[in-house]
Amino acid sequence: MRKAFMGGRIKRLREERGLTQIALARALDLSASYLNQLERNQRPLTVPVLLKINAVFGIDVQLFSENDEAGLMADLRNVLADPVVTERITASEVREIVDNAPAFGRGLVALYRRYRAVVEQADAVMSGLGLGDGDLASIAPLLPYEQVRDFFFANHNHFLELDLAAERLFDEANLVIGDVATGLIDYLARRHDIRVVFDRSEFEDQGPQRLFRRADRILQLSSQLTPGQRAFQMATQIGMLEMDETIERLARTAALSSGEAHALTRIGLANHFAGALLMPYAAFLESAEALHYDIDRLASRFGVGFETVCHRLSTMQRPGASGVPFFFIRVDRAGNISKRQSATSFHFSRVGGTCPLWNVYEAFAQPGRILTQLARMPDGRTYLWVARTVTHRISGFGMPDKIFAVALGCDLRHAPLRALGSLSSSTCPPGLAAPN
């Protein structure tokens, strides 16, 4: 492991609690000179000292996580890559900020986001979109979906309460791995007096995939859904019925700025519960490790699709029983990103372009084929990417299928050598590395 120098964070912790170096050293049973060296980054933070900090102050060890460092490093590099910054800032200078003044770095990123919002508003005015002069004085917050993504990223895309509740329900309802849909139909009827029907109307493709008619106690699902998709929709509805208080409490912790962002967060949490019910944490992790993270075989075992397995793999971060920290993304042919989740330090940038060499785009040229790639990013890390197209079929003559490319990635250190047989490789230039 890389030596972790966390002097700035230790000093900040001490100052927030109004302690002198001597007082903190006594509390941690350290010598004052040793603590002074830690704060001055002359000594790396060791695991025993980190455990003492946790025991004495109850501080979450994620405060000293390199994952958060990597995210802030990526954000700062994106900010400083803007053409408005004419003076060259070296990587070592950025590292100094991250190590010694992380709060300053986060503040700089926040200011830059507001600056970009003002610039975009000014461009809109100049383009004749009809915005009044007063609009230029206002500062637009992050879009609702960006706020939701930040919330999930801050929680490492894992919500322990929802996963544990899903595991309990899986056992109580006597569900069967690979055929959860059948069990959920019976569970909804027995527990909630809800009847599941499949819509076979002529204009079904124009309607929702799931419609709950509360007054009639009917859950209406599209007949075009696969068994795995039906199970997911039923599980989502159960999450909204039985986990509503938990979902609402978790959503409120996000401190979102709009009702739309709050609603999107609730939907995301309900979907997280649904995935956890179809693929219970312990059973899924055991199968993933036994099958060496073979996505197709996992999809077959749990009766779901390739994309659903990829999404679930990006959520396996239970404390004390974590899986490989994956990141997951879905794009269309035009490069629009409709899904992105990260359980690790990989940071999706908000500015700059995406790398044209990324295999998630090459997947469209080879539909249905799994492509693997090694990509070296500006942060110096090398990642293994797996990408493949998925098709959302729409019945009816002349109706075009919706085709997406999904990609699953992880740090190279998690990939065994035998998985690296025939790989393409690329090095993405700064500003083009992380998906936009």
Side-chain angles (χ1 to χ4, degrees):
M1 296 178 60
R2 185 175 68 85
K3 292 183 178 181
F5 294 91
M6 301 286 181
R9 303 192 188 194
I10 296 174
K11 184 177 181 180
R12 180 181 178 89
L13 172 65
R14 176 174 62 79
E15 292 176 344
E16 287 177 347
R17 282 159 175 72
L19 299 174
T20 64
Q21 279 192 346
I22 294 176
L24 180 58
R26 287 175 179 170
L28 299 177
D29 195 24
L30 302 173
S31 69
S33 62
Y34 181 70
L35 179 61
N36 181 269
Q37 290 176 324
L38 287 174
E39 286 192 2
R40 294 166 62 86
N41 282 332
Q42 294 176 349
R43 290 282 191 94
L45 179 66
T46 63
V47 172
V49 174
L50 180 59
L51 294 178
K52 286 182 180 180
I53 293 174
N54 175 259
V56 173
F57 298 103
I59 296 297
D60 187 352
V61 295
Q62 291 295 333
L63 178 67
F64 298 91
S65 170
E66 289 186 358
N67 288 353
D68 292 335
E69 280 189 7
L72 181 55
M73 280 282 291
D75 272 335
L76 287 173
R77 291 178 68 96
N78 286 328
V79 169
L80 299 172
D82 193 296
V84 74
V85 182
T86 57
E87 188 171 348
R88 181 176 177 271
I89 310 297
T90 66
S92 61
E93 289 174 316
V94 177
R95 169 59 65 182
E96 286 286 328
I97 295 175
V98 173
D99 286 345
N100 298 309
F104 171 81
R106 288 189 290 270
L108 181 61
V109 172
L111 285 173
Y112 179 78
R113 291 174 181 171
R114 294 199 170 196
Y115 155 76
R116 290 301 311 171
V118 171
V119 170
E120 290 171 3
Q121 288 179 343
D123 288 342
V125 172
M126 296 178 67
S127 299
L129 295 183
L131 295 180
D133 294 338
D135 291 322
L136 294 178
S138 64
I139 298 175
L142 289 177
L143 294 173
Y145 71 88
E146 291 180 317
Q147 296 179 51
V148 175
R149 286 171 176 170
D150 282 353
F151 170 66
F152 276 79
F153 182 80
N155 286 275
H156 302 282
N157 203 26
H158 179 77
F159 298 90
L160 182 61
E161 285 185 84
L162 298 180
D163 270 273
L164 292 175
E167 283 186 305
R168 288 193 298 269
L169 177 57
F170 189 93
D171 293 334
E172 293 169 3
N174 296 316
L175 301 179
V176 178
I177 288 177
D179 186 25
V180 176
T182 302
L184 290 184
I185 291 175
D186 178 68
Y187 179 81
L188 282 166
R190 175 167 37 87
R191 179 67 180 271
H192 296 282
D193 191 29
I194 293 175
R195 183 164 59 94
V196 179
V197 300
F198 301 101
D199 185 8
R200 300 181 182 277
S201 65
E202 181 180 356
F203 302 103
E204 179 191 358
D205 57 286
Q206 300 178 14
Q209 294 184 333
R210 180 187 75 253
L211 177 63
F212 180 42
R213 292 153 51 185
R214 189 178 298 273
D216 300 328
R217 310 304 292 173
I218 290 178
L219 179 62
Q220 184 174 308
L221 301 179
S222 169
S223 63
Q224 297 183 21
L225 299 176
T226 65
Q229 292 171 331
R230 293 176 183 178
F232 186 87
Q233 294 296 337
M234 286 186 281
T236 299
Q237 189 63 55
I238 291 172
M240 293 179 172
L241 292 170
E242 299 188 8
M243 301 300 297
D244 182 70
E245 292 185 5
T246 301
I247 288 174
E248 179 64 20
R249 176 167 46 80
L250 289 171
R252 289 190 181 279
T253 64
L256 302 167
S257 64
S258 68
E260 183 182 358
H262 182 81
L264 288 173
T265 301
R266 284 180 54 86
I267 293 173
L269 292 170
N271 288 341
H272 182 95
F273 174 83
L277 185 57
L278 270 61
M279 295 162 279
Y281 193 98
F284 185 76
L285 179 60
E286 181 181 0
S287 294
E289 293 179 343
L291 297 176
H292 306 292
Y293 290 89
D294 187 315
I295 300 173
D296 281 328
R297 294 176 68 186
L298 285 170
S300 177
R301 175 170 295 187
F302 287 87
V304 295
F306 186 92
E307 179 182 337
T308 304
V309 171
C310 290
H311 192 283
R312 182 57 171 153
L313 285 172
S314 73
T315 69
M316 307 299 287
Q317 292 302 294
R318 178 177 294 182
S322 61
V324 172
F326 284 105
F327 26 87
F328 163 74
I329 194 165
R330 187 183 76 178
V331 303
D332 62 17
R333 287 183 180 274
N336 300 310
I337 297 175
S338 52
K339 289 184 180 180
R340 58 180 179 188
Q341 301 287 353
S342 178
T344 180
S345 58
F346 185 82
H347 186 75
F348 297 103
S349 70
R350 292 187 175 88
V351 296
T354 54
C355 180
L357 301 178
W358 195 20
N359 66 345
V360 71
Y361 298 119
E362 175 63 22
F364 288 108
Q366 304 182 54
R369 179 182 175 186
I370 295 178
L371 305 180
T372 54
Q373 180 186 48
L374 293 181
R376 187 173 183 83
M377 301 300 183
D379 62 4
R381 298 187 182 186
T382 301
Y383 296 93
L384 171 66
W385 284 98
V386 177
R388 202 199 80 173
T389 55
V390 295
T391 303
H392 295 189
R393 300 197 180 281
I394 300 177
S395 62
F397 177 76
M399 298 294 292
D401 293 334
K402 295 181 179 180
I403 301 177
F404 300 92
V406 297
L408 194 70
C410 69
D411 193 288
L412 185 59
R413 69 178 183 273
H414 298 295
L417 293 177
R418 56 183 174 77
L420 307 179
S422 56
L423 297 171
S424 65
S425 62
S426 66
T427 300
C428 293
L432 294 177
N436 195 15

